[in-house]
Amino acid sequence: EPEVTQTPSHQVTQMGQEVILRCVPISNHLYFYWYRQILGQKVEFLVSFYNNEISEKSEIFDDQFSVERPDGSNFTLKIRSTKLEDSAMYFCAGSQESNQPQHFGDGTRLSIL
Amino acid sequence: GESVGLHLPTLSVQEGDNSIINCAYSNSASDYFIWYKQESGKGPQFIIDIRSNMDKRQGQRVTVLLNKTVKHLSLQIAATQPGDSAVYFCAENIGSGTYKYIFGTGTRLKVLA
């Protein structure tokens, strides 16, 4: 069964540094998403992406964050000038259509020191 | 990859018994609902979904019930197995052009041998 692949599985970064989290969605998916889960809290929506542009973003997704699909296969989340509170699990997801179930990767654990 | 669950409700079930996991969703405008299973170190795995024009949907060993009157969703797992041990999340989508899922807190299911 096709899978969403995320790398790295764990990223440790100094506060203030930039990080790029990478995702390879399932090949026939057209809609892409990033969510995060802070330790002990709910999974929270960050952003959705379709047709090479952001279709929706949450209030969490401020100017510090950006997404890109640079080569038609990878889908990346960039966090500039990371803060301690950015420490969380970050999940990439995709779906074939907007009204079809979203399928998630296994996440990247981001630890900001 | 799991919610740490310091405050997660836990359901303990004897192997072979049926499990019922409940979820109160937040938005009366939500029209699509999904159940996810999250095992330790993994991302949310799609189990089953239901749209608001239905009140029941069955899959393999799982049934989802929707009660829109009281904004309640339940997941029934028949003949619970050790491999069913995980955290279960419900998620809702309000449609109307928004793609984001709103996740519940989660319930930890422990299957006792």
Side-chain angles (χ1 to χ4, degrees):
Chain A
E1 188 174 320
E3 292 183 341
V4 177
T5 306
Q6 289 188 244
T7 55
S9 56
H10 191 189
Q11 174 80 47
V12 182
T13 302
Q14 291 288 330
M15 186 172 59
Q17 297 297 304
E18 174 183 286
V19 294
I20 298 177
L21 309 183
R22 302 181 191 279
C23 173
V24 179
I26 295 170
S27 59
N28 65 350
H29 283 182
L30 300 177
Y31 294 79
F32 310 105
Y33 315 86
W34 284 100
Y35 290 79
R36 79 173 184 190
Q37 186 177 31
I38 295 172
L39 199 63
Q41 298 187 22
K42 297 180 184 182
V43 176
E44 301 174 286
F45 170 80
L46 292 177
V47 66
S48 60
F49 191 85
Y50 169 71
N51 200 26
N52 274 324
E53 59 183 30
I54 290 173
S55 45
E56 186 177 7
K57 59 184 180 179
S58 72
E59 61 276 8
I60 303 168
F61 194 90
D62 59 21
D63 292 343
Q64 181 195 7
F65 294 88
S66 61
V67 289
E68 196 176 38
R69 196 149 187 257
D71 56 12
S73 61
N74 291 285
F75 180 50
T76 62
L77 174 69
K78 182 190 291 186
I79 310 175
R80 288 180 283 275
S81 190
T82 48
K83 305 188 285 271
L84 293 176
E85 53 266 37
D86 294 328
S87 295
M89 283 294 293
Y90 287 81
F91 294 107
C92 171
S95 63
Q96 284 185 293
E97 297 290 341
S98 59
N99 62 352
Q100 293 294 312
Q102 296 173 18
H103 294 269
F104 285 73
D106 285 338
T108 293
R109 183 178 296 280
L110 178 63
S111 299
I112 307 299
L113 305 178
Chain B
E2 66 179 72
S3 176
V4 167
L6 290 177
H7 303 289
L8 277 184
T10 299
L11 175 67
S12 296
V13 174
Q14 207 66 38
E15 182 179 355
D17 287 353
N18 297 335
S19 303
I20 300 176
I21 300 170
N22 296 304
C23 174
Y25 63 90
S26 58
N27 197 321
S28 55
S30 293
D31 64 359
Y32 180 56
F33 306 90
I34 315 95
W35 279 101
Y36 286 94
K37 171 186 181 183
Q38 189 174 29
E39 296 173 284
S40 181
K42 301 273 192 179
Q45 177 188 355
F46 170 77
I47 302 173
I48 192 168
D49 58 358
I50 188 168
R51 300 192 187 274
S52 59
N53 60 351
M54 303 173 70
D55 53 22
K56 180 178 179 179
R57 190 158 187 234
Q58 288 186 288
Q60 190 176 19
R61 265 199 325 117
V62 293
T63 301
V64 55
L65 299 177
L66 174 62
N67 184 331
K68 294 182 287 293
T69 304
V70 294
K71 295 193 290 185
H72 184 267
L73 197 64
S74 69
L75 177 71
Q76 300 178 1
I77 305 173
T80 313
Q81 301 168 359
D84 295 328
S85 292
V87 177
Y88 290 80
F89 294 96
C90 66
E92 61 187 293
N93 173 259
I94 64 170
S96 300
T98 177
Y99 310 127
K100 67 180 181 184
Y101 287 178
I102 301 169
F103 279 79
T105 310
T107 296
R108 184 182 303 281
L109 176 65
K110 288 187 175 178
V111 181
L112 308 172

